[in-house]
């Protein structure tokens, strides 16, 4: 400050012909001393405002104080600001960084040339986050500097998910017992990083205790208030404090200051008690008329020789001469120049453009503190470092911190502050942290970053799991669930793999899922394909046989045209199963169910119409032209068409309202099943239900016609085939809904093939066997014989029923009359009347002629054998 004032007084451009004076007060870093000093110049200002010159000779009085530079500590500055603010005396602090002092409404006259601690707290949390620590100890001074700083620090730590194990307040006046208890807690803590927001005097007692205990495995984070303090940065502390990471204000450059420091001498500054004390302490001597000499004579201090005055300040190592890192000193320099610049603005003010009433200007010869304060609030200038200095409301200096690391000097073992990075906050560009890890020595000599976490880091493939009753920084490592992964250490959550991927065995990455469907190339698909092709070939073979022998009685008796259509529908049934194999596409999904449904309905319709026609013909007592008209070939095909048309309409409505389509099922681990989404399960139910309804009707007629000549209908075989059909499709329903993926298609293919083979085998294999291997049964006589046999059987059953009914009626009228022992019936096909049973009993057998052949039948009814039929 003295250097800046003398430089201004010697300047011909800044405040010419005006001399600045100063008074220096030692606050002793206590509020009481600071207020005592403040009251002295506040009272002087009050006396000057009374204008007592006309009553007394006041020319020798000290001039009024127009500005205050200081104090250093935030607690002291806060107390001074409360006092001087009442009298609007501007106060510019060079080291008070408490964020509480940013309140312009409460501290109206306070300004500063140092950034607020809010930025320093952010910077300290950023360093902890940078080195991936999450378990720290927080210590702060119990004053306006430490409390707000550590509060902001805690908030930043919370937002960064970093936990504080211990959070304590300290003071330079704390007793030794409390210091020992705090040291015990630090030693017992698993946190290895200690962040301290305090001044040098406040933190010194704790560091002394830690040095006494030789606790060397801790990393200290120092706020700028003690990061370069000579009270702590001592060679005897370096074993414990070595490796400390601290914040220092960016150093400035003051031209000529080096020479000024080297010229300091007690003889030149006899009125400056600070220089005299510094001289005595540096050279371990005492000056004449020194109060410290009196203390030495009284035995309160060790004996010191008399200073000769020839001592050379340049010959000793002292922080006083460290002019290369001017940090706080540069802030003082800027503060003095800010006051001088405000006075310069008052001096050069043009009337009409001033800051006061009606644009008036203040009189430099009678300037008052409040006028300087107003001028400072409107000050805006560039300092020697190129930084803009402003003190208007809401403005704060940009935070520019140099990050230093405490090293031991190899020459003399002293503490060396090594610059290892910087932290800069600009209002527009945001914050930037830069640290060169290679320059840092941890704990004085280590190069590996210390570990300060509550729990060991979690390896890739795991995530942090919360432990009940402990902070979030204390966790257990939990393995990621299937389908999730973590590819970095200390993952808070496991990331979910994409739908087409699945986690590997150790959950560190994802791999593409295997795509599965009922493929042509897999063994199961090949087997189903072979069976389907076999079915097509067998059906085609049967069709070829029927075409080749189409004029034979067996083929004719089987309703030749409907049999051809039935065989064609079976070919379609076998072929439709092939659509279910292969990768599902939208078109295959839309075609396969309608193809299967229509093919089966066509097949069963043919069986139904053919069976019902023969049944009605044989049950008709007198086949008339009406039967032949309504059961002609055209009507048969019309009925088949109508039955099939209903199924076609079901499929059309289904495809129009809810068309099926292919989709990928991601629900199965490690596999993507490509299947068909049927669109509407109700429509599929109608399709299968209608097919089963026709099959049930067909089963009814087949069961009813089971005793017809087997040349005309295979009633027993059809009944058996329908039973197989029902068993297959009833089993299909639960199997369809209980399977997933490609097995859904496989189940339906198996159902189609099983029911198709049952129809083919039961209806046609017997006929093919007769046609190819038993041609003797494929004759007209054989067919007629079978038909006649069925006719006589039917007649016998009718006669038996009639005879039984007659005997019952006779018995009820004539009592217990004996029945005739036997009776004979004979019929002729040439129209002759039936002969009397009494005249030709057993004389000859009745005959029925069919073309060139004659068949003899005999029926005997005996009551003694309980109406048995021979």
């Amino acid at each position: 400050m003295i250097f800046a004032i003398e430089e201004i007084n010697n300047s011909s451009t800044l405040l010419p012909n005006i001399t600045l004076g100063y008074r220096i007060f030692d606050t002793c870093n206590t509020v009481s001393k600071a207020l005592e000093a403040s009251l002295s110049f506040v009272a002087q200002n009050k006396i000057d405002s009374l204008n007592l010159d006309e009553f007394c000779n006041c020319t020798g009085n000290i001039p009024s104080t127009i500005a205050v530079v200081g104090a250093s500590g935030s607690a002291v500055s806060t107390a001074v600001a409360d006092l001087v603010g009442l009298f609007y005396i501007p106060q510019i602090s060079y080291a008070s960084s408490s964020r509480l002092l940013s309140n312009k409404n409460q501290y109206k006259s306070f300004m500063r040339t140092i950034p607020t601690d809010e930025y320093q707290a952010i910077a300290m949390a950023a360093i902890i986050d940078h080195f991936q620590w999450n378990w720290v100890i927080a210590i702060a001074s119990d004053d306006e500097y430490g409390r707000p700083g550590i509060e902001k620090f805690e908030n930043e730590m919370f937002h960064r998910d970093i936990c504080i194990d211990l959070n304590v307040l300290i003071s330079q006046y704390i007793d030794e017992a409390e210091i020992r208890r705090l040291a015990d807690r630090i030693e017992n803590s698993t946190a290895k990083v200690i962040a301290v927001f305090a001044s040098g005097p406040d933190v010194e007692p704790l560091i002394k205790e830690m040095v006494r205990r030789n606790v060397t495995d801790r990393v200290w984070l120092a706020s700028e208030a003690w990061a370069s303090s000579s009270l702590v940065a001592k060679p005897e502390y370096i074993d414990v404090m070595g490796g400390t990471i601290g914040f220092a204000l960016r150093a400035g450059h003051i031209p000529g200051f080096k020479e000024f420091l080297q010229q300091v001498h007690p003889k030149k500054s006899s009125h400056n008690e600070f220089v005299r004390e510094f001289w005595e302490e540096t050279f371990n001597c005492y000056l004449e008329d020194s109060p410290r000499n009196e203390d030495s004579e009284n035995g309160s201090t060790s004996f010191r020789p008399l200073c000769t005055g020839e001592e050379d300040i340049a010959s000793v190592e002292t922080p006083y001469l460290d002019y290369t890192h001017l940090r706080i000193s540069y802030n003082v320099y800027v503060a003095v120049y800010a006051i001088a610049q405000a006075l310069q603005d008052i001096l050069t003010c043009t009337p009409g453009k001033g800051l006061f009433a009606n644009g008036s200007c203040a009189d430099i010869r009678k300037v008052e503190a409040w006028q300087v304060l107003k001028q400072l609030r409107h000050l805006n200038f560039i300092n020697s470092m190129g930084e803009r200095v402003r003190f208007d409301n809401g403005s704060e200096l940009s935070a520019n911190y140099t990050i230093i690391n405490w090293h031991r000097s190899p020459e003399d073992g002293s503490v060396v502050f090594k610059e290892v990075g910087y932290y800069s906050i600009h209002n527009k560009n945001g914050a930037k942290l830069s640290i060169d890890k290679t320059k840092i020595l941890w704990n004085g000599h280590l190069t590996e970053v210390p570990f300060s976490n509550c729990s060991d880091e979690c390896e890739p493939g795991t995530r942090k799991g919360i432990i009940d009753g402990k902070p979030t920084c204390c966790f257990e490592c939990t393995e990621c669930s299937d389908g999730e992964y973590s590819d970095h250490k200390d993952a808070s959550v496991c990331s979910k793999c994409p739908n087409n991927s699945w986690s590997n065995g150790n959950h560190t990455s994802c791999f593409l899922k295997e795509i599965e469907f009922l493929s042509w190339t897999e063994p199961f698909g090949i087997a189903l394909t072979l069976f389907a092709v076999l079915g097509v070939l067998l059906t085609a073979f049967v069709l070829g046989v029927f075409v080749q022998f189409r004029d034979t009685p067996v083929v004719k008796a089987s309703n030749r045209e409907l049999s051809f259509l039935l065989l064609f529908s079976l070919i379609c049934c076998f072929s439709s199963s092939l659509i279910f194999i292969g990768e599902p596409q939208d078109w295959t999904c839309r075609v396969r169910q309608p193809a299967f449904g229509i093919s089966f309905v066509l097949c069963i319709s043919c069986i139904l119409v053919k069976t019902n026609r023969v049944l009605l013909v044989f049950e008709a007592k007198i086949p008339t032209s009406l039967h032949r008209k309504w059961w002609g070939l055209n009507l048969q095909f019309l009925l088949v068409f109508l039955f099939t048309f209903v199924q076609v309409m079901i499929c059309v409505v289904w495809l129009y309202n809810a068309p099926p389509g292919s989709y990928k099922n991601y629900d199965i681990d490690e596999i993507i099943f490509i299947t068909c989404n049927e669109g509407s399960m109700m429509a599929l139910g109608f399709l299968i239900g209608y097919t089963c309804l026709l099959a049930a009707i067909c089963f009814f007629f087949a069961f009813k016609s089971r005793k017809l000549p087997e040349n005309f209908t295979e009633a027993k075989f059809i009944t058996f085939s329908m039973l197989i059909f029902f068993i297959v499709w009833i089993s299909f329903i639960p199997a369809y809904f209980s399977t997933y993926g490609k097995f859904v298609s496989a189940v339906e293919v198996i159902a189609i093939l099983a029911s198709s083979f049952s129809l083919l085998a039961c209806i046609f294999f017997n006929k093919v066997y007769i046609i190819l291997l038993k041609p003797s049964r494929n004759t007209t006589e054989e067919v007629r014989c079978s038909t006649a046999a069925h006719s006589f059987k039917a007649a016998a059953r009718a006669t038996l029923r009639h005879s039984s009914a007659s005997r019952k009626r006779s018995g009820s009228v004539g009592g217990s009359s004996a029945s005739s022992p036997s009776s004979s019936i004979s019929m002729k096909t040439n129209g002759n009347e039936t002969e009397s049973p009494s005249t030709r009993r057993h004389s000859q057998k009745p005959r029925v002629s069919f073309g060139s052949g004659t068949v003899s039948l005999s029926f005997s009814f005996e009551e003694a054998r309980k109406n048995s039929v021979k």
Side-chain angles (χ1 to χ4, degrees):
M1 187 191 75
I2 295 174
F3 170 78
I5 291 177
E6 291 184 0
E7 190 176 56
I8 293 169
N9 289 338
N10 295 327
S11 173
S12 59
T13 57
L14 186 59
L15 297 178
N17 301 322
I18 294 178
T19 302
L20 297 180
Y22 59 87
R23 295 175 67 188
I24 300 177
F25 296 92
D26 189 357
T27 64
C28 299
N29 200 32
T30 59
V31 173
S32 58
K33 283 289 185 179
L35 290 178
E36 180 183 345
S38 300
L39 284 172
S40 65
F41 60 77
V42 166
Q44 182 63 46
N45 283 17
K46 193 62 178 177
I47 294 174
D48 291 343
S49 66
L50 297 177
N51 195 13
L52 301 177
D53 289 345
E54 58 184 68
F55 302 105
C56 63
N57 183 11
C58 298
T59 56
N61 289 345
I62 300 174
S64 298
T65 301
I66 60 172
V68 176
V69 177
S72 176
S74 295
V76 176
S77 289
T78 301
V80 173
D82 285 332
L83 178 59
V84 300
L86 298 174
F87 302 95
Y88 299 98
I89 300 175
Q91 176 188 358
I92 304 178
S93 175
Y94 49 85
S96 299
S97 55
S98 173
R99 66 187 183 95
L100 297 180
L101 292 168
S102 298
N103 189 343
K104 304 298 182 183
N105 294 326
Q106 183 175 357
Y107 306 105
K108 298 180 180 179
S109 64
F110 180 82
M111 294 157 281
R112 54 186 165 191
T113 57
I114 186 173
T116 174
D117 278 335
E118 184 170 355
Y119 300 136
Q120 189 176 185
I122 297 173
M124 190 173 290
I127 287 183
I128 294 174
D129 195 17
H130 177 78
F131 290 109
Q132 298 181 355
W133 296 321
N134 68 5
W135 193 236
V136 300
I137 298 172
I139 299 175
S141 57
D142 190 10
D143 54 23
E144 285 76 2
Y145 171 74
R147 288 192 299 269
I150 209 68
E151 180 183 350
K152 178 64 177 178
F153 175 73
E154 290 174 0
N155 292 335
E156 283 297 314
M157 299 284 275
F158 175 78
H159 291 305
R160 297 173 187 266
D161 292 330
I162 302 173
C163 302
I164 297 177
D165 184 26
L166 295 178
N167 191 350
V168 294
L169 298 176
I170 61 174
S171 170
Q172 60 180 317
Y173 306 112
I174 191 171
D175 57 48
E176 293 183 1
E178 188 66 26
I179 286 291
R180 286 193 295 270
R181 283 193 292 270
L182 176 57
D184 290 338
R185 296 176 65 187
I186 293 175
E187 277 194 288
N188 295 330
S189 173
T190 57
K192 303 300 181 181
V193 176
I194 306 173
V196 182
F197 260 92
S199 61
D202 289 329
V203 77
E204 184 185 16
L206 174 61
I207 291 178
K208 283 183 177 180
E209 180 63 21
M210 300 300 287
V211 170
R212 188 185 67 82
R213 299 184 180 207
N214 194 29
V215 181
T216 60
D217 61 341
R218 297 297 191 270
V219 176
W220 297 79
L221 290 183
S223 63
E224 55 83 24
W226 70 277
S228 56
S229 173
S230 59
L231 289 176
V232 182
K234 296 179 179 181
E236 56 267 30
Y237 296 166
I238 194 62
D239 289 336
V240 172
M241 303 303 296
T244 296
I245 302 293
F247 290 91
L249 300 174
R250 192 169 66 172
H253 177 63
I254 304 176
F257 192 45
K258 174 183 177 182
E259 293 76 12
F260 177 81
L261 292 176
Q262 292 175 345
Q263 294 175 4
V264 169
H265 198 279
K267 293 181 179 180
K268 298 180 180 180
S269 306
S270 57
H271 61 284
N272 193 332
E273 191 61 30
F274 297 105
V275 173
R276 294 171 62 85
E277 182 179 357
F278 163 73
W279 198 270
E280 291 176 346
E281 292 297 328
T282 301
F283 296 104
N284 196 23
C285 62
Y286 69 92
L287 296 170
E288 294 181 357
D289 302 329
S290 172
R292 284 169 292 281
N293 184 35
E294 297 177 0
D295 295 336
S296 177
E297 292 177 353
N298 294 332
S300 59
T301 60
S302 60
F303 175 77
R304 293 181 178 182
L306 183 66
C307 297
T308 63
E310 302 297 329
E311 293 85 2
D312 184 8
I313 192 65
S315 63
V316 294
E317 290 290 338
T318 172
Y320 174 73
L321 292 177
D322 184 12
Y323 53 84
T324 58
H325 298 90
L326 302 176
R327 308 181 192 280
I328 297 298
S329 302
Y330 182 74
N331 289 348
V332 176
Y333 184 76
V334 173
V336 174
Y337 263 86
I339 297 172
Q341 188 64 46
L343 294 174
Q344 177 72 16
D345 292 342
I346 293 175
L347 178 64
T348 58
C349 176
T350 302
K353 297 182 180 180
L355 301 176
F356 305 101
N358 300 322
S360 60
C361 299
D363 186 357
I364 192 64
R365 294 171 297 178
K366 298 181 180 180
V367 65
E368 297 184 20
W370 68 271
Q371 295 172 325
V372 178
L373 174 61
K374 189 168 186 178
Q375 199 70 47
L376 282 169
R377 288 299 186 191
H378 291 80
L379 186 65
N380 190 345
F381 76 102
I382 305 297
N383 61 18
S384 61
M385 291 290 293
E387 297 175 337
R388 183 170 297 278
V389 179
R390 297 173 57 187
F391 297 116
D392 55 343
N393 291 331
S395 64
E396 293 284 355
L397 292 179
S398 298
N400 295 294
Y401 297 105
T402 299
I403 301 174
I404 60 175
N405 184 220
W406 288 18
H407 289 195
R408 185 194 298 271
S409 174
E411 288 82 11
D412 56 4
S414 61
V415 179
V416 178
F417 304 123
K418 181 74 172 180
E419 293 187 6
V420 295
Y422 66 89
Y423 184 85
S424 178
I425 293 182
H426 298 284
N427 294 331
K428 295 182 179 180
N429 300 328
K432 182 178 181 181
L433 174 66
S434 177
I435 296 179
D436 187 354
K437 296 181 181 179
T438 61
K439 296 181 179 180
I440 300 178
L441 292 180
W442 303 101
N443 303 119
H445 60 281
L446 302 177
T447 57
E448 183 180 357
V449 178
F451 181 80
S452 183
N453 293 39
C454 183
S455 302
D456 292 335
E457 60 186 10
C458 293
E459 296 297 324
T462 61
R463 64 171 178 84
K464 298 177 182 178
I466 298 176
I467 301 177
D468 293 337
K470 291 191 176 182
T472 57
C473 300
C474 301
F475 50 83
E476 58 184 0
C477 296
T478 305
E479 186 177 4
C480 294
S481 303
D482 291 338
E484 298 180 345
Y485 74 100
S486 63
D487 56 0
H488 60 277
K489 294 182 178 181
D490 277 346
S492 298
V493 294
C494 294
S495 302
K496 190 174 181 62
C497 291
N499 284 338
N500 63 344
S501 301
W502 193 251
S503 58
N504 58 4
N506 53 11
H507 302 279
T508 57
S509 61
C510 296
F511 62 89
L512 292 177
K513 290 183 178 180
E514 181 182 355
I515 297 178
E516 283 197 5
F517 51 86
L518 189 58
S519 173
W520 299 99
T521 57
E522 64 176 290
F524 196 30
I526 294 174
L528 293 177
T529 302
L530 291 177
F531 277 107
V533 173
L534 177 63
V536 172
L537 293 178
L538 288 176
T539 308
F541 172 74
V542 173
L543 180 60
V545 171
F546 267 55
V547 171
Q548 180 68 28
F549 297 93
R550 60 185 176 275
D551 294 326
T552 60
V554 170
V555 175
K556 287 182 178 180
S558 299
N559 199 332
R560 177 174 54 191
E561 290 77 9
L562 280 180
S563 295
F564 290 158
L565 185 59
L566 176 58
L567 288 169
F568 170 75
S569 65
L570 283 174
I571 292 176
C572 294
C573 289
F574 283 113
S575 301
S576 68
S577 65
L578 297 175
I579 308 177
F580 290 81
I581 305 175
E583 182 176 354
Q585 305 289 338
D586 287 342
W587 72 270
T588 58
C589 292
R590 291 184 175 93
V591 168
R592 64 180 195 172
Q593 297 291 4
F596 140 71
I598 294 173
S599 300
F600 264 87
V601 166
L602 179 61
C603 176
I604 295 176
S605 298
C606 293
I607 299 173
L608 174 61
V609 170
K610 185 174 71 167
T611 304
N612 193 37
R613 172 182 175 273
V614 175
L615 177 66
L616 291 178
V617 169
F618 273 91
E619 286 189 350
K621 294 182 172 49
I622 303 177
T624 64
S625 60
L626 182 64
H627 288 87
R628 289 190 295 271
K629 176 181 178 182
W630 285 106
W631 285 104
L633 188 61
N634 293 333
L635 180 59
Q636 296 175 46
F637 281 108
L638 178 61
L639 290 176
V640 171
F641 171 78
L642 291 177
F643 289 143
T644 308
F645 181 75
V646 174
Q647 186 77 306
V648 172
M649 292 308 299
I650 292 175
C651 296
V652 170
V653 173
W654 181 9
L655 295 177
Y656 179 79
N657 292 313
S662 64
Y663 85 106
K664 295 180 179 180
N665 185 355
Y666 299 99
D667 297 336
I668 308 302
D669 300 348
E670 303 182 16
I671 298 175
I672 299 175
F673 284 119
I674 302 180
T675 58
C676 286
N677 180 7
E678 303 300 348
S680 172
M681 296 306 297
M682 181 180 294
L684 180 61
F686 274 116
L687 184 141
I688 298 177
Y690 178 68
T691 306
C692 292
L693 175 64
L694 292 181
I697 298 173
C698 185
F699 173 78
F700 171 75
F701 285 117
F703 181 80
K704 193 173 182 181
S705 61
R706 66 189 182 279
K707 296 181 179 180
L708 294 182
E710 60 182 17
N711 300 77
F712 287 88
T713 180
E714 311 78 3
K716 295 179 181 179
F717 297 108
I718 292 176
T719 303
F720 183 66
S721 67
M722 290 298 105
L723 284 175
I724 296 176
F725 184 89
F726 281 125
I727 292 172
V728 168
W729 289 103
I730 290 175
S731 303
F732 164 78
I733 294 174
Y736 183 86
F737 287 102
S738 62
T739 55
Y740 56 88
K742 65 180 181 181
F743 303 106
V744 175
S745 299
V747 166
E748 193 161 357
V749 171
I750 293 173
I752 293 172
L753 294 178
S755 53
S756 299
F757 272 114
S758 67
L759 292 174
L760 177 65
C762 293
I763 296 175
F764 291 102
F765 280 4
N766 185 42
K767 297 184 183 299
V768 173
Y769 171 77
I770 293 174
I771 293 173
L772 297 180
L773 302 179
K774 298 290 183 178
S776 60
R777 297 176 57 183
N778 190 13
T779 60
T780 304
E781 292 78 4
E782 185 72 18
V783 173
R784 287 179 177 177
C785 179
S786 177
T787 304
H790 171 75
S791 299
F792 279 111
K793 288 179 182 179
R797 285 194 297 269
T799 303
L800 180 61
R801 288 194 297 268
H802 177 74
S803 177
S804 299
S806 298
R807 285 195 299 270
K808 289 180 181 179
R809 288 194 299 270
S810 300
S812 61
V813 175
S816 58
S817 59
S819 301
S820 58
S822 63
S823 62
S824 299
I825 300 173
S826 64
M827 298 180 65
K828 293 184 179 179
T829 60
N830 57 3
N832 295 335
E833 294 181 359
T834 305
E835 296 184 3
S836 172
S838 60
T839 60
R840 302 190 56 185
R841 179 189 306 172
H842 304 294
S843 59
Q844 65 180 29
K845 295 181 179 180
R847 298 179 180 178
V848 181
S849 298
F850 297 96
S852 60
T854 301
V855 179
S856 297
L857 301 174
S858 176
F859 301 92
S860 177
F861 305 94
E862 294 181 4
E863 188 142 16
R865 297 185 180 182
K866 298 180 181 180
N867 300 328
S868 61
V869 178
K870 292 184 179 180

